[in-house]
Amino acid sequence: MEITPPATIAARFEAQRQAFLKEPNPTYEARLSRLDRLLALTDANEAAVVAAIDADFSGRAAQETRLAEMFVVRAGIRHAKSHLRRWMRVKRAPTGLHFRPGYNRLMPQPLGVVGVVSPWNYPFQLALAPALAALAAGNRVMIKPSELTPAFSALLERLIAGAFDPDEVCVVTGDAETGKAFTALPFDHLIFTGSTAVGRVVAQAAAANLTPVTLELGGKSPAIFDPSCDVDVSVERLAFGKLLNAGQTCIAPDYLMVPKGQAEAVAGKFSAAVAKMYPSLVDNPDYTAIISQRHRTRLVELVDEARAAGARVIEINPANERFESNATRKLAPTIVLDPPADTRLMREEIFGPVLPILEYDGVDEAIARVRQGDHPLALYWFGTDRAARERVLGETLSGGVTVNDCLWHIGQEDQPFGGVGASGMGAYHGEWGFNTFSKLKPVFYQSRLNGIVLFRPPYGQAFERILGLLKRVT
């Protein structure tokens, strides 16, 4: 992967800025053409994308890339294409009685040049899902993919260069210093997906240019088993959600809360569900590796610290394989029972195949545990007790929720996806993405005949009467 020099980054930005000034409001046909080319790129290069991501991870399930990346992007493009004409229309807006027969309209307009900073965990999806929304809205797009996926980043740069003029869409490759140069540009909007710590740095860089940001971060997303849940079904769904991409998912269930006295039983069922999906691990192509040795070492340290603090650790290793010398950086799924609250495992986002299980005594305690930390990006509740469910939904704040399953709220193009507080700001997907990357410009159309003349000086009794009337009716 080559490093794009700062001067080249600035030149590409300026080229896109000038191209946007020449075409400040692309036609429906122009936007559709860009979406069609993005879709064609996705369809024609699935095998190459799968291979590149597999190489970067030293073992990434092809089916996970096809489902969680290619399918999601393809669905997003098709959704945008089918709704684009409606999204682009000038929209009616209500008009106060005292301003009629004047009327209001909302006019969606592109912002200009949008910057996309994407992470390593889902490098295709989290680069192109924001990009497709920005293109639908009529913008130019620059993408900075992660340096931790060099094979994919180099591939993406080639594919985008083959499908788009550089003043439409381009890719900037490089390390953290390249990222700093990228985020320092005066974009018209900047979207970043990654850790909360780096998100703060990105927001500060954007603030210097008054660049609006969308931050998709993470946090400790809880899963809650209510006493009313079907434990067998819930455990299988939780295991899939936790171990997709080996837990390296921003909305993965970070820890599980179960009713008091059920932790041991749930741990046993979770182990059985994992063994059913992954009867072996080291050479199993269905089980994804950790992205780097540094990330794997961190996960081992989190577990070791919790064990030293008194937690019980259960390694799920159905085939009794050895992981010490495994060249793919795979890590066995691990349960940690009742880790102390002050351990790193319970303070940091885990981002790996490690599941802490905590017991709780009643819905009040479950809600209190969720609320004592930062607002999570996701929350998962399992059960049939409607009153308990509504209490959890109403008394906790999170970016999104899936009830009786994990992850699937992210795939809803008719719903916004985004965080809240430390888990992010802003949202995209579907029409929310179009609106995020647009200026919904309010326009008031004044009528030739209107009563506004009554508000002009010289002020007198007529002014007072009209103002008094409006105070009573508005």
Side-chain angles (χ1 to χ4, degrees), residues 234-412:
S234 300
V235 159
E236 290 192 351
R237 294 176 180 180
L238 181 83
F240 171 77
K242 179 62 181 178
L243 296 181
L244 180 73
N245 203 30
Q248 298 165 109
T249 304
C250 60
I251 58 169
D254 190 273
Y255 64 97
L256 171 64
M257 289 190 281
V258 301
K260 199 169 186 63
Q262 292 190 18
E264 287 283 348
V266 169
K269 291 177 181 292
F270 184 86
S271 297
V274 172
K276 181 179 178 182
M277 290 192 297
Y278 307 105
S280 66
L281 298 166
V282 171
D283 295 320
N284 187 343
D286 290 345
Y287 187 64
T288 295
I290 306 303
I291 186 65
S292 72
Q293 188 58 47
R294 177 174 65 86
H295 285 76
R296 189 183 189 280
T297 298
R298 172 186 168 272
L299 291 168
V300 171
E301 290 173 349
L302 295 183
V303 173
D304 287 345
E305 183 200 37
R307 181 190 287 112
R312 182 181 169 206
V313 176
I314 302 172
E315 183 181 272
I316 306 172
N317 187 356
N320 294 315
E321 298 166 281
R322 294 180 63 86
F323 284 81
E324 292 83 354
S325 60
N326 110 68
T328 64
R329 301 187 299 269
K330 289 185 177 180
L331 181 69
T334 304
I335 297 170
V336 182
L337 292 172
D338 198 26
D342 60 352
T343 58
R344 289 177 60 201
L345 189 71
M346 294 309 297
R347 290 186 287 110
E348 300 177 10
E349 182 178 8
I350 295 172
F351 227 68
V354 179
L355 180 68
I357 299 181
L358 312 172
E359 293 186 341
Y360 71 94
D361 188 7
V363 67
D364 288 333
E365 183 178 341
I367 291 170
R369 283 190 174 177
V370 175
R371 293 173 60 174
Q372 71 186 9
D374 292 328
H375 302 312
L377 184 57
L379 182 143
Y380 304 108
W381 187 89
F382 294 80
T384 58
D385 185 330
R386 181 175 180 178
R389 181 192 70 200
E390 293 308 305
R391 279 203 61 197
V392 171
L393 292 180
E395 296 178 33
T396 64
L397 190 59
S398 61
V401 177
T402 293
V403 173
N404 286 322
D405 213 330
C406 293
L407 311 182
W408 296 115
H409 64 282
I410 196 175
Q412 310 306 313

Side-chain angles (χ1 to χ4, degrees), residues 105-116:
R105 296 292 184 267
L106 275 177
M107 179 180 181
Q109 288 184 283
L111 295 173
V113 181
V114 171
V116 177

Side-chain angles (χ1 to χ4, degrees), residues 71-262:
F71 174 79
V72 170
V73 169
R74 192 177 288 116
I77 296 171
R78 288 176 174 162
H79 181 85
K81 287 179 59 181
S82 65
H83 295 279
L84 181 59
R85 197 181 292 276
R86 176 178 62 83
W87 295 346
M88 289 178 63
R89 289 181 187 142
V90 175
K91 299 169 178 62
R92 292 177 176 271
T95 307
L97 179 64
H98 49 293
F99 286 114
R100 297 178 189 173
Y103 57 94
N104 289 319
R105 296 292 184 267
L106 275 177
M107 179 180 181
Q109 288 184 283
L111 295 173
V113 181
V114 171
V116 177
V117 182
S118 57
W120 53 263
N121 59 328
Y122 292 97
F124 186 83
Q125 182 215 138
L126 295 174
L128 295 194
L132 77 87
L135 290 174
N139 299 281
R140 311 284 165 149
V141 180
M142 295 179 67
I143 302 171
K144 165 62 177 74
S146 173
E147 65 272 18
L148 292 181
T149 52
F152 170 77
S153 296
L155 173 65
L156 182 65
E157 185 176 25
R158 292 196 302 273
L159 296 181
I160 291 294
F164 295 92
D165 291 333
D167 64 9
E168 290 179 301
V169 188
C170 70
V171 174
V172 168
T173 56
D175 55 14
E177 291 302 312
T178 305
K180 289 180 181 178
F182 187 87
T183 56
L185 293 170
F187 288 110
D188 297 287
H189 197 102
L190 181 64
I191 179 168
F192 167 82
T193 305
S195 71
T196 300
V198 178
R200 289 191 175 98
V201 175
V202 170
Q204 289 173 348
N209 297 307
L210 294 180
T211 295
V213 293
T214 297
L215 302 177
E216 299 299 346
L217 308 176
K220 299 193 72 63
S221 298
I224 303 171
F225 281 8
D226 187 75
S228 66
C229 81
D230 182 324
V231 176
D232 292 329
V233 172
S234 300
V235 159
E236 290 192 351
R237 294 176 180 180
L238 181 83
F240 171 77
K242 179 62 181 178
L243 296 181
L244 180 73
N245 203 30
Q248 298 165 109
T249 304
C250 60
I251 58 169
D254 190 273
Y255 64 97
L256 171 64
M257 289 190 281
V258 301
K260 199 169 186 63
Q262 292 190 18

